[in-house]
Amino acid sequence: MFPLKLFQASAASISGATQQTELAVRDVLTGRRKGLLAFLPFVGPAVIASVGYMDPGNFATNIQAGSSCGYELLWVVVIANVVAMLFQAMSAKLGIVTGRNLAELCREQFPKPIVLAMWCGSEIAAMATDIAEFLGGALGISLLFHVSLLCGLIVTGIVTMIILLLDRGGFRPLELVIAALVAVIGLSYVCELFIAPPDWHATLIGSIVPRLHGSNAITLAVGIIGATIMPHTLFLHSGLTQNRTPARNDAERSRLLWFSNREVLIALGMAGFVNLAMVMMSAAVFPRSADGISDISVAYHSLIPLLGVGAATVFLISLMASGMSSSVVGTMAGQVIMQGFVDFRIPVWARRIMTMAPAFVIGLHFNVVNAMVISQVALSFFLPIPLVALVVLSSRRGVMGTFAAGKTTIVIATLATILIVALNLDLLKQVLS
């Protein structure tokens, strides 16, 4: 009886956290709660979305970028993060204004053959990134605790399933756990920058001066974009905001958008810092070579003699937190994509098993890190799907009403989409030649 009562008490506590957040949000919207703390109840959707920008695929791509090109590709990270802020804000706005997510609106607004094609491409992208995230978490556990990769895969699967089940108590418990894991990742890289200070002058130049020397740099630039701007998080963000706090009028919608945009700036700003720190640490620590270091396990073992066991351990802790949190987010995004495009939902445990199975096969029979890097490049080819959809839907007054995006926003978003497609075509040309 005691365990049952303890479980019921825990469930009630979890559900209560969501109810308290909902009441706090309403107090802010009605003007009964003001000040700096009034922002906290709105924090959650962008934090969850930001996990996709700090997943293990970023670790593999950024480490290779820093060890291969030094500080020269930091500008790609900066631009990719700014573009990510724009599109994540557009996705969140779509959910707040319409009460529907991006995939649902695509199903309603576009012809059926196009919707089916978008669904297939988006599912492939979501599964590809989930595989990379799952493998990254397992690799972190394997290296940190000196166990087999199979053991790491099993532990990652169990932990991510437990985290996903928190959603049964409402949105807040899951948001808090993900936020804690994000904090671990961020603090880990703050420590790494103190342990291995970068060349700040080279960092500044690399962040503002565009340079792409050689085909390897272009490949890595596309990989960085694919690892930074994630297709599945664009679908997920609108799903997280659509029902979190339903707006009762346009005044409340405007207020919700005000808080949402600021959360995007803060959450993705932190994600951008982590990505920059990854490249900076790699450039500062590892000897520069043509191919760079593309293997996370090699990077870990290289850090031990260079910076000591402490720095290497911090690196693995951040990788483990990244893999677990992003794997949870990947599963959530897959649910939103499937339900939105084809109006079909499967239990979360079934979705988790579907994405775990190929990860086990790849992890036990193929090079894990190569699979992670390839998945990030592949993601970039599917990225135009949600980008184009967001531009089209955000500009339609029939969808957004008075909240339709302005011409300046649409022009900037369109140019960003064209740039990404152009980089992808250039990469494809190199691969085929």
Side-chain angles (χ1 to χ4, degrees), residues 155-210:
V155 172
T156 303
I158 293 172
V159 172
T160 54
M161 186 64 75
I162 292 172
I163 296 173
L164 283 165
L165 291 176
L166 290 174
D167 193 43
R168 293 182 178 182
F171 59 82
R172 199 54 171 176
L174 183 60
E175 289 178 350
L176 292 173
V177 171
I178 295 296
L181 291 171
V182 168
V184 169
I185 301 168
L187 290 174
S188 296
Y189 270 91
V190 170
C191 293
E192 295 285 17
L193 289 181
F194 276 105
I195 296 171
D199 182 334
W200 291 107
H201 179 263
T203 295
L204 177 62
I205 299 300
S207 299
I208 61 177
V209 179

Side-chain angles (χ1 to χ4, degrees), residues 289-353:
S289 62
D291 295 327
I293 295 177
S294 59
D295 192 319
I296 290 178
S297 60
V298 172
Y300 161 68
H301 290 299
S302 299
L303 281 174
I304 295 175
L306 292 170
L307 299 178
V309 176
T313 301
V314 169
F315 171 75
L316 287 185
I317 290 173
S318 65
L319 175 63
M320 186 175 62
S322 168
M324 289 181 175
S325 58
S326 57
S327 188
V328 170
V329 170
T331 303
M332 293 169 62
Q335 290 281 61
V336 170
I337 289 169
M338 177 178 287
Q339 185 178 7
F341 276 117
V342 294
D343 196 20
F344 182 73
R345 185 182 181 91
I346 60 175
V348 68
W349 61 265
R351 181 89 195 182
R352 179 69 274 174
I353 291 174

Side-chain angles (χ1 to χ4, degrees), residues 385-401:
I385 295 175
L387 296 184
V388 172
L390 273 173
V391 171
V392 172
L393 294 172
S394 296
S395 63
R396 289 185 177 178
R397 297 189 72 84
V399 174
M400 300 293 289

